[in-house]
Amino acid sequence: MANFYDDYEISEKTLALKPAYNLEYSTIVLEGTEEYYVKKTPLELIKQASLFGGAEYDGRRCAVSFLTGIKKKIPIPINPQKNIYAFPTQSPSQMDCHWIFFSHVNLISGASSVSNKSTMIVFQNGRKLEVKESAHILYKQMYRTWMCVKALSGDFPVST
């Protein structure tokens, strides 16, 4: 039985937010072994979670850009106290943007053939998610998120 919701609160258990192309819901939330179908868009959920974490999405985005020098596809420290960081697979303004939660990623597996241009993300719990972006792009996003974590913990030199 499907789990349909008007809203969803991002937590330490959230693995990813997938855009849905459905009239009934806009996001498929991956949490542990569960899937939730939510009316709000992935970006709406990220913005809401940022507020619950103590700051507006735009403020977090600006702070990360200032601290790391990242200008595009900026990772978001949703709630640093709870180690909740997410990164977009493409520009958040794009309809096909997935949000991946950094601490749950175990492995990124690139395409095994030229005809298959997708990449598999394997989470710590063994769950898998296939995305269109290249492994190179996802590794870059993981590195950017690592920079974000380090900058907010004071272990990374500030880019000015």
Side-chain angles (χ1 to χ4, degrees):
M1 183 167 145
N3 300 311
F4 293 97
Y5 298 94
D6 290 332
D7 204 353
Y8 170 82
E9 188 172 334
I10 290 170
S11 73
E12 297 95 326
K13 297 177 186 178
T14 309
L15 303 177
L17 304 177
K18 294 171 38 176
Y21 312 103
N22 191 294
L23 295 175
E24 302 295 318
Y25 53 92
S26 297
T27 303
I28 301 169
V29 177
L30 303 184
E31 180 184 287
T33 59
E34 300 291 321
E35 282 190 3
Y36 302 103
Y37 302 90
V38 183
K39 285 189 178 182
K40 289 187 176 182
T41 67
L43 186 55
E44 287 173 331
L45 293 172
I46 292 289
K47 287 181 176 184
Q48 175 181 284
S50 293
L51 284 172
F52 285 136
E56 288 187 358
Y57 168 83
D58 290 331
R60 291 195 184 275
R61 195 175 177 284
C62 287
V64 170
S65 182
F66 172 77
L67 292 170
T68 64
I70 300 167
K71 303 294 182 203
K72 296 180 179 180
K73 294 190 276 186
I74 298 169
I76 301 298
I78 290 171
N79 190 327
Q81 292 77 20
K82 292 184 177 181
N83 196 33
I84 304 174
Y85 294 82
F87 64 85
T89 57
Q90 53 186 263
S91 170
S93 64
Q94 296 298 310
M95 194 167 107
D96 201 34
C97 178
H98 290 58
W99 285 87
I100 309 300
F101 289 77
F102 178 71
S103 66
H104 294 288
V105 176
N106 185 46
L107 176 71
I108 295 169
S109 178
S112 58
S113 69
V114 177
S115 61
N116 182 4
K117 297 196 185 288
S118 64
T119 302
M120 189 67 67
I121 299 170
V122 182
F123 296 101
Q124 298 285 347
N125 68 356
R127 188 164 191 175
K128 297 176 181 178
L129 173 64
E130 190 173 0
V131 294
K132 292 191 302 188
E133 289 72 29
S134 70
H136 173 76
I137 294 293
L138 295 176
Y139 282 125
K140 189 173 182 178
Q141 287 304 93
M142 286 289 289
Y143 176 70
R144 287 174 168 178
T145 309
W146 174 83
M147 285 174 47
C148 171
V149 171
K150 289 298 185 184
L152 291 175
S153 67
D155 294 338
F156 192 80
V158 174
S159 172
T160 57

